[in-house]
Amino acid sequence: NKEKILARSLSICRENLAVLDAWVAKEPHIHYTKPKAGTVTLLHYDLPMTSNELCRRLQEDTGVMLLPGSCFDMENCLRIGFANNREDLVRGLEIFSQWLAAL
């Protein structure tokens, strides 16, 4: 079953990365370097707040959780994983977009 499990996991990651890539392309305050491997990446932003403040406010206001780049001594970025349920990723990104637009 190894091959079936790996194929399923790879398919999920590729599809979700395409979703994330399309979302980043539409967000004026977000940019990133598209990962070539792995299931997490850093989203860089150009908003006037620390990554800790952004993540805290986003979570309090919407329930969407991202990891602040300050955890890695990297300000103005957020860590996001994309190996999860596609519908959850799409919905979370939609909510994040609405939140960003309201700032």
Side-chain angles (χ1 to χ4, degrees):
N1 291 327
K2 173 184 165 185
E3 295 305 319
K4 288 181 184 178
I5 293 168
L6 290 175
R8 178 185 175 275
S9 295
L10 189 55
S11 175
I12 290 169
C13 291
R14 285 182 177 154
E15 289 175 16
N16 286 352
L17 180 55
V19 167
L20 181 61
D21 196 48
W23 178 83
V24 169
K26 294 187 299 186
E27 282 302 324
H29 295 288
I30 306 289
H31 66 278
Y32 82 142
T33 300
K34 186 176 179 178
K36 295 180 182 179
T39 60
V40 298
T41 191
L42 294 174
L43 303 176
H44 299 271
Y45 65 90
D46 63 1
L47 300 167
M49 64 181 80
T50 66
S51 60
N52 192 48
E53 179 185 1
L54 189 151
C55 288
R56 181 186 49 77
R57 286 178 55 188
L58 178 64
Q59 195 279 323
E60 288 174 357
D61 293 349
T62 69
V64 172
M65 295 177 63
L66 296 172
L67 189 63
S70 61
C71 291
F72 308 101
D73 293 325
M74 298 178 71
E75 262 310 333
N76 296 96
C77 67
L78 314 163
R79 181 180 178 267
I80 186 170
F82 53 90
N84 51 320
N85 177 285
R86 184 176 185 274
E87 290 78 25
D88 291 342
L89 177 65
V90 168
R91 184 66 183 132
L93 293 174
E94 287 172 353
I95 293 168
F96 190 17
S97 287
Q98 293 167 359
W99 187 83
L100 287 169
L103 289 179

